Amino acid sequence: MEVRSCAMAAPWFQGASVYQIYPRSFADSDGDGIGDLAGITAHLDHVASLGVDAIWLSPFFPSPQRDFGYDITDYCDVDPAYGTLETFDALVAAAHERGLRVVIDAVFNHTSEEHPWFVASRSSRDDPKADWYVWGDGRDGKPPNNWRSVDFIHSAWTYDEGRGQWFLATFDPCQPDLNWHHPDVRAAMFDVVRFWLDRGVDGFRFDMFGAIMKDGKLRDEAWAPRLSTDFQVVRVTDRSRTNNTEACYQLGRDLRALCIEHRGADEVLLVGECFGALPELARYTEGGDGLTHAFIFDALTFRYRAGWFRGAIDRYEEAFPAPLDPAWVYENHDRSRSISRVGDDLAKARVLATVLCTVRGQPTIYMGQELGMPNTYIPLRDALDVVAQRFSWVPERVSKRLPERLNRDEMRTPMLWDPSSTGGFCPEGITPWLPVNPLVATRNVAVQEEDPTSLLVLYRRLLHLRREHRALRAGRLDLVPGTGDDVLAYVRSDGEERVLVAACFGRGAATVALGGTGTLLVGTDVTAAVAGDVLRLGPNSAALVLLDPAPA
Ligand code: TEU
């Protein structure tokens, strides 16, 4: 069954909420300690019950798994560890039956070094695929230019003995960059998009999209200071010749046109993983003919303060005015769990959830976020993550205290379904591929489902309210001024319908004037209450109030 929206309505992806699933860690249906597609299908009721609109699946394609699927060897198949194309089709059908759209990861910047295309490309300068990747001649035995890899402070170039040339890998050397200036590469990748559209997918999340179209002349970048992830100022290169280039914006438009042509309607969500200042990101979606969304990662490093969120909302609204749709992200498979940023405080996680599910734009929720799953500490020496392995020299006493986790395994541990020793991720007695979070007794679906005061129940309530009230899903957002340092408040409105969202980030109680009367829709704890024309909030609490229309 296909889920389609009616032609005149706003596209389904406008204001839609997305749930990110990391397939390796969601649910293991065959008892090998590794999650798989059938496991996802078996747990779709949980996802549907949350009230999200779509799932985004991290990569499940054939891969040597050096970067757990972000290193692909075949774009049009499923890795046997995860299933088959038929299992995928069953997943899509089951998702659509539940009204969930399916977005898949499109890792188009690079392939695995084991992809047959790269094997051919590196075999000889005369091979028909010789120019499918970015190759360059060295300068006096040094790399062709000063381009740096994204995560690492080293050159993005690797010398290949066979060809006597250097190849570009913007992420890890096991992930060589495709040469998108080559018409055959573009044609092959556009075919990949068609292949998955024909299998019923409703969208793509483009990995490292901003880096795909590099300067074809391979000119040096300018040097510039930058803040590293651990907030040290380091001298790295500017990225204007490798990141968010004009050609990259154009590629976004070409992909949109391709999807519209192939689906016959504006049905396909296209979200880019792009890094840069907000106006640079907004350009991907401006004009309504490019990517539908560009992730905004500012909230990956949020500060738990009303002022931080006021500032972020202001900046997002300015850079992404409606109908542009800012894509909010608190956490993902690469970065720290959000609850770990607030000292594992559930009350604070509830405030954060309230804001995420009620902002204007597209909220993305990473599996386990709805349970308050924290990072699972895993020492660097045990890391399976390709990035972490490069940081193995960092002493444990240092790495343990860094707010930015160096070991991405810590955010990728198994989803917690029940309080058993494996969290219900795989049968007991089987060792999951990564350790189970120690808080499994309480931070799991089965226990929280039974507890009306749990974070899970709150997420469900909020996401359902977002669907039921057009004001929350599609309405405008106006910040309420003058609420004091500790309180964030805004009104979402659509015609007559107005919903006030207010959150108290401080240690003391607060009140927010309603400017009339209203009904409490949800509060994150018992302190939230409407009394006459004010909303009362306790410390670290938040609420939604449906405001009564002003008397005529
Ligand atoms: O990540 C891209 C990215 O730029 C990373 O720098 C990310 O911020 C980093 O991993 C944090 O440490 C994407 C995927 O999300 C990631 O999982 C892949 O490993 C990477 O691309 C390569 O495909």
Side-chain angles (χ1 to χ4, degrees):
M1 191 179 99
E2 269 194 39
V3 241
R4 294 203 167 225
S5 44
C6 91
M8 293 306 290
W12 71 266
F13 45 72
Q14 188 84 21
S17 51
V18 179
Y19 185 80
Q20 182 193 355
I21 294 177
Y22 195 72
R24 201 174 179 81
S25 303
F26 199 58
D28 168 20
S29 73
D30 57 6
D32 61 359
I34 294 172
D36 45 53
L37 298 186
I40 297 173
T41 308
H43 286 84
L44 282 177
D45 284 338
H46 166 69
V47 184
S49 77
L50 277 173
V52 291
D53 300 297
I55 53 171
W56 147 33
L57 303 172
S58 279
F60 50 81
F61 317 97
S63 161
Q65 310 291 349
R66 283 285 297 128
D67 191 15
F68 297 113
Y70 283 94
D71 47 335
I72 294 173
T73 50
D74 183 351
Y75 284 93
C76 295
D77 208 344
V78 174
D79 192 290
Y82 301 135
T84 62
L85 283 171
E86 287 66 41
T87 347
F88 177 79
D89 293 342
L91 193 170
V92 172
H96 285 173
E97 268 164 32
R98 289 163 179 77
L100 293 167
R101 304 281 185 154
V102 179
V103 177
I104 65 169
D105 224 300
V107 189
F108 282 7
N109 177 69
H110 47 263
T111 69
S112 159
E113 62 183 338
E114 293 178 32
H115 195 297
W117 297 344
F118 187 68
V119 174
S121 187
R122 88 189 309 179
S123 69
S124 146
R125 296 188 194 199
D126 302 320
D127 187 273
K129 292 203 168 51
D131 297 329
W132 277 43
Y133 291 79
V134 186
W135 291 94
D137 293 317
R139 293 186 297 201
D140 306 326
K142 296 205 185 77
N145 65 23
N146 68 357
W147 296 356
R148 299 267 142 176
S149 81
V150 173
D151 266 27
F152 319 118
I153 307 298
H154 62 69
S155 167
W157 296 92
T158 301
Y159 186 67
D160 183 75
E161 293 282 347
R163 272 184 64 148
Q165 280 183 309
W166 301 73
F167 68 84
L168 185 72
T170 304
F171 201 73
D172 185 82
C174 75
Q175 293 152 300
D177 283 21
L178 283 161
N179 174 16
W180 273 80
H181 294 290
H182 196 301
D184 294 351
V185 169
R186 192 181 153 100
M189 299 311 273
F190 278 29
D191 279 346
V192 170
V193 170
R194 291 189 194 95
F195 175 86
W196 290 104
L197 287 176
D198 288 343
R199 294 202 101 87
V201 312
D202 306 291
F204 300 91
R205 173 267 187 194
F206 293 105
D207 188 64
M208 290 181 58
F209 192 78
I212 287 185
M213 297 301 299
K214 286 148 277 248
D215 178 46
K217 297 198 179 95
L218 306 184
R219 286 173 295 180
D220 273 336
E221 295 278 29
W223 285 96
R226 190 194 76 164
L227 271 187
S228 70
T229 47
D230 54 354
F231 304 109
Q232 303 297 308
V233 176
V234 287
R235 246 165 63 88
V236 294
T237 55
D238 171 76
R239 295 208 180 263
S240 51
R241 295 210 164 117
T242 46
N243 200 31
N244 303 335
T245 59
E246 285 303 322
C248 209
Y249 294 120
Q250 184 54 42
L251 179 62
R253 289 190 282 269
D254 296 346
L255 286 162
R256 179 75 170 272
L258 169 72
C259 290
I260 291 176
E261 182 193 305
H262 207 70
R263 265 294 162 85
D266 207 352
E267 280 285 318
V268 184
L269 181 153
L270 301 171
V271 55
E273 188 199 32
C274 311
F275 299 92
L278 293 187
E280 267 178 69
L281 302 183
R283 282 199 55 199
Y284 283 103
T285 67
E286 275 161 11
D289 58 352
L291 299 184
T292 64
H293 296 83
F295 281 136
I296 308 176
F297 291 126
D298 294 24
L300 289 177
T301 48
F302 68 81
R303 308 302 293 263
Y304 184 80
R305 285 206 289 263
W308 191 92
F309 283 91
R310 254 197 308 271
I313 288 171
D314 255 339
R315 280 180 287 126
Y316 288 21
E317 287 295 314
E318 193 188 337
F320 288 79
L324 303 191
D325 211 26
W328 283 76
V329 193
Y330 284 179
E331 61 185 68
N332 60 29
H333 63 296
D334 292 334
R335 304 299 286 269
S336 175
R337 292 279 187 177
S338 53
I339 195 168
S340 297
R341 290 186 179 280
V342 292
D344 196 34
D345 183 323
L346 274 164
K348 291 181 179 175
R350 297 167 76 77
V351 169
L352 292 170
T354 307
V355 177
L356 181 66
C357 297
T358 60
V359 282
R360 195 182 68 76
Q362 182 179 89
T364 301
I365 296 150
Y366 178 44
M367 58 169 212
Q369 185 176 338
E370 74 275 31
L371 307 170
M373 232 179 114
N375 298 328
T376 309
Y377 176 68
I378 300 172
L380 283 168
R381 63 173 179 276
D382 297 335
L384 303 178
D385 170 27
V386 69
V387 174
Q389 287 169 354
R390 291 177 174 265
F391 288 111
S392 56
W393 50 270
V394 177
E396 191 169 347
R397 69 191 144 73
V398 176
S399 75
K400 221 173 173 167
R401 289 208 310 271
L402 293 175
E404 291 302 325
R405 309 312 304 160
L406 295 177
N407 183 358
R408 297 181 301 173
D409 294 346
E410 295 182 43
M411 289 71 80
R412 299 172 177 180
T413 59
M415 175 70 179
L416 304 172
W417 298 102
D418 65 37
S420 68
S421 63
T422 58
F425 165 74
C426 58
E428 287 194 88
I430 303 290
T431 309
W433 77 285
L434 284 177
V436 174
N437 189 281
L439 296 187
V440 60
T442 52
R443 307 282 165 93
N444 68 72
V445 175
V447 165
Q448 292 199 19
E449 226 159 24
E450 298 302 318
D451 173 6
T453 69
S454 69
L455 185 62
L456 170 60
V457 169
L458 177 69
Y459 261 103
R460 281 187 184 159
R461 178 91 180 106
L462 291 166
L463 288 162
H464 280 97
L465 285 170
R466 187 180 172 89
R467 276 190 169 173
E468 286 156 22
H469 295 273
R470 244 192 84 79
L472 288 175
R473 163 109 186 207
R476 48 177 292 138
L477 183 154
D478 293 286
L479 282 169
V480 178
T483 49
D485 284 351
D486 288 338
V487 176
L488 167 72
Y490 46 90
V491 175
R492 301 292 316 276
S493 57
D494 179 63
E496 285 286 280
E497 189 182 52
R498 292 182 307 139
V499 179
L500 171 80
V501 180
C504 173
F505 288 75
R507 293 206 188 114
T511 54
V512 181
L514 301 180
T517 50
T519 316
L520 188 75
L521 291 173
V522 62
T524 60
D525 63 28
V526 291
T527 65
V530 170
D533 58 0
V534 294
L535 167 68
R536 295 187 198 287
L537 293 172
N540 298 317
S541 86
L544 268 60
V545 179
L546 182 63
L547 299 173
D548 294 332

